Amino acid sequence: MEIVKNVFLIFSSFLIILGAFASLMSAIGMFRFKDYFLRIHASTVGTIWGSVVPLLGVALFALFDDKLGSGRYVIASNSFLTAAVFFIVGPLGTHLLTRSVYKLRKGKCGDANTKVDI
């Protein structure tokens, strides 16, 4: 049973590190991409992979860590519910923003006029 706990603890740590790497790549994409639609894609990737995946890692870590006692179920359930909300709301908000820009014809994908300087 101890081996299974260690495997899940290592896997949850991997998920947290993967989320940090995805957040870094999303931040780089926000600076490197020139089009509005590509930048909004990078921010959505940062939202999903940079917040949902580490929250799932925290939930797994809390479930299999014995040092947290009975509070581990509270931490795991809160992390899982927060990840579920982010998973639903993040792409929904991005879709609404992108659709409104597309409907207003402020930018077309690949158009040089959609470049946003920071």
Side-chain angles (χ1 to χ4, degrees):
M1 189 65 181
E2 190 68 30
I3 295 173
V4 174
K5 285 183 184 180
N6 288 336
V7 167
F8 274 108
L9 289 176
I10 290 170
F11 181 67
S12 64
S13 300
F14 173 74
L15 287 177
I16 294 169
I17 292 170
L18 179 67
F21 179 74
S23 292
L24 177 66
M25 291 295 110
S26 173
I28 291 171
M30 289 292 289
F31 284 111
R32 298 281 302 182
F33 291 148
K34 299 188 184 333
D35 191 19
Y36 169 78
F37 296 103
L38 293 174
R39 285 185 178 189
I40 200 90
H41 169 72
S43 69
T44 305
V45 168
T47 301
I48 299 302
W49 284 92
S51 63
V52 172
V53 173
L55 280 170
L56 293 176
V58 167
L60 279 176
F61 194 87
L63 282 177
F64 289 99
D65 191 19
D66 293 333
K67 294 179 233 171
L68 295 173
S70 63
R72 63 183 171 176
Y73 300 114
V74 174
I75 295 171
S77 63
N78 286 340
S79 296
F80 183 73
L81 288 175
T82 305
V85 168
F86 280 176
F87 190 73
I88 293 169
V89 173
L92 181 67
T94 302
H95 172 73
L96 292 174
L97 284 171
T98 306
R99 182 180 165 97
S100 66
V101 168
Y102 183 76
K103 289 289 183 180
L104 289 174
R105 307 248 190 250
K106 293 290 183 188
K108 295 178 184 170
C109 192
D111 188 9
N113 296 329
T114 58
K115 182 178 176 183
V116 179
D117 291 330
I118 296 175

